[in-house]
Amino acid sequence: MSRASATLRRLIEVDLPIKQISAHARREKSIRHGHISTMHLWWARRPLAACRAVILGALWPDPADPACPASFRVAVGTTLEGLRNRIGGTPRDWANPLALREGCLEFIADFANWDLSSQLDYCNAARAITAAAHAVTGDGSRSRPLLIDPFAGGGAIPLEGLRCGADVFASDLNPLPVLLNRVVLQDIPRYGERLAVAVREEGARLREAAEKALREYYPSDPDGSVPLAYLWARTVRCEGPACGAEIPLLRTKWLAKGPRMGKSVDHRYSLRGLIT
């Protein structure tokens, strides 16, 4: 790495579209299809939108920095101009370094949107600019930047590093996040739909085996219907000489209360499966 590239400011040191990124990060909480958070809950999961934006801001130099190489500015202008020609957008004077900076920040804000995160036009543009950035900031030992996350957790940072055009090394002390990261970063890209089919088939097999093994402990009703739920509770035996009934230590038999099919309906089910 040259002395000039070592002092070259990264985009995140200058500015970042925090308001737009935060809005996209908040929206992610309600996404239930295709998001890695639906695969397994993780208590410290980072928003993908924020990770994607921060990684790009940290990898890309500031085009308006006086020390920024001309080759990077040309690559940014060419890439963003090509993207705008395909999808539309704000016309800019790509020869102006400040316009290049504004274009990069606008791209980061747009790319933080979940709906655009898998669009090839945006992914290819992000990777092209990342490659151009690494060409002027790297030491030449690697063709792509290396992102290292020693405590990868739910895998948001490694996933977005790959999406943004970096090579990734992820690790964790907990075997659960190690498994999550392996599935997200290796197995899904390698096997794709075949993995989803295999998981569904194995899940159905395990469910059938569990139902068979537990059937005697959770019997069906006399008419053949399957109980919706069981409430388990400790019991005490009535000490009355003529009683001896088992009394469940349970405050309520309600399973759910709330709106259903547009009406406020209370649901009450019979108590089943008491144990002492």
Side-chain angles (χ1 to χ4, degrees), residues 17 20-21 24 53 103-113 116:
Q20 297 95 316
I21 296 169
H24 292 311
C104 288
L105 294 173
E106 182 182 83
F107 175 89
I108 290 175
D110 292 342
F111 197 35
N113 186 346
L116 301 179

Side-chain angles (χ1 to χ4, degrees), residues 135-198:
V136 300
T137 59
D139 59 5
S141 62
R142 301 183 60 87
S143 59
R144 290 156 54 98
L146 176 63
L147 187 153
I148 300 175
D149 188 353
F151 299 101
I157 294 175
L159 174 64
E160 294 309 320
L162 290 176
R163 196 194 310 269
C164 294
D167 291 330
V168 170
F169 177 86
S171 64
D172 203 288
L173 297 176
N174 189 327
L176 175 57
V178 171
L179 176 61
L180 292 177
N181 277 269
R182 177 170 180 174
V183 172
V184 170
L185 305 178
Q186 294 183 353
D187 294 344
I188 292 178
R190 181 178 299 170
Y191 301 110
E193 184 62 24
R194 288 186 298 159
L195 178 61
V197 172

Side-chain angles (χ1 to χ4, degrees), residues 10 36 59-60 80 85 105 122 137 142 144 150 159-160 164 170 181 184 186 205 221 233 263 265 271:
R10 303 302 173 112
I36 61 173
L59 290 177
W60 294 0
L80 294 183
N85 287 339
L105 294 173
Y122 278 89
T137 59
R142 301 183 60 87
R144 290 156 54 98
L159 174 64
E160 294 309 320
C164 294
N181 277 269
V184 170
Q186 294 183 353
R205 188 189 68 80
D221 290 336
K263 299 180 180 179
V265 180
L271 186 65

Side-chain angles (χ1 to χ4, degrees), residues 236-248:
V236 294
R237 188 176 299 278
C238 177
E239 296 181 354
C243 183
E246 289 187 343
I247 303 172

Side-chain angles (χ1 to χ4, degrees), residues 2-264:
S2 66
R3 180 175 300 177
S5 63
T7 59
L8 181 59
R9 290 181 303 177
R10 303 302 173 112
L11 197 58
I12 197 172
E13 300 178 79
V14 180
D15 198 359
L16 209 60
I18 299 296
K19 183 176 181 180
Q20 297 95 316
I21 296 169
S22 298
H24 292 311
R26 286 194 299 271
R27 180 190 166 221
E28 275 190 28
K29 296 180 180 179
S30 61
I31 295 175
R32 293 293 179 267
H33 180 71
H35 198 283
I36 61 173
S37 63
T38 61
M39 183 175 67
H40 191 284
L41 294 178
W42 190 253
W43 55 82
R45 183 169 294 285
R46 305 294 184 256
L48 299 185
C51 293
R52 190 156 56 250
V54 168
I55 289 171
L56 291 179
L59 290 177
W60 294 0
D62 173 23
D65 190 314
C68 182
S71 59
F72 178 71
R73 292 175 177 170
V74 171
V76 171
T78 302
T79 301
L80 294 183
E81 177 67 16
L83 179 65
R84 299 310 175 198
N85 287 339
R86 291 190 297 274
I87 66 172
T90 306
R92 299 185 188 277
D93 177 12
W94 301 115
N96 184 343
L98 291 176
L100 288 174
R101 175 195 289 172
E102 292 174 358
C104 288
L105 294 173
E106 182 182 83
F107 175 89
I108 290 175
D110 292 342
F111 197 35
N113 186 346
W114 168 258
D115 297 332
L116 301 179
S117 62
S118 298
Q119 294 288 332
L120 285 180
D121 283 337
Y122 278 89
C123 291
N124 290 337
R127 292 163 184 166
I129 297 177
T130 296
H134 184 65
V136 300
T137 59
D139 59 5
S141 62
R142 301 183 60 87
S143 59
R144 290 156 54 98
L146 176 63
L147 187 153
I148 300 175
D149 188 353
F151 299 101
I157 294 175
L159 174 64
E160 294 309 320
L162 290 176
R163 196 194 310 269
C164 294
D167 291 330
V168 170
F169 177 86
S171 64
D172 203 288
L173 297 176
N174 189 327
L176 175 57
V178 171
L179 176 61
L180 292 177
N181 277 269
R182 177 170 180 174
V183 172
V184 170
L185 305 178
Q186 294 183 353
D187 294 344
I188 292 178
R190 181 178 299 170
Y191 301 110
E193 184 62 24
R194 288 186 298 159
L195 178 61
V197 172
V199 169
R200 283 192 290 267
E201 292 177 348
E202 186 64 15
R205 188 189 68 80
L206 291 175
R207 177 177 179 177
E208 182 179 352
E211 289 178 348
K212 182 178 180 180
L214 298 174
R215 189 172 297 138
E216 62 177 301
Y217 305 107
Y218 299 89
S220 300
D221 290 336
D223 62 358
S225 59
V226 179
L228 176 64
Y230 285 81
L231 295 177
W232 298 91
R234 293 188 177 276
T235 62
V236 294
R237 188 176 299 278
C238 177
E239 296 181 354
C243 183
E246 289 187 343
I247 303 172
L249 300 179
L250 194 67
R251 289 185 177 183
T252 178
K253 300 178 184 179
W254 295 106
L255 294 181
K257 292 183 179 181
R260 184 178 181 183
M261 298 180 66
K263 299 180 180 179
S264 180

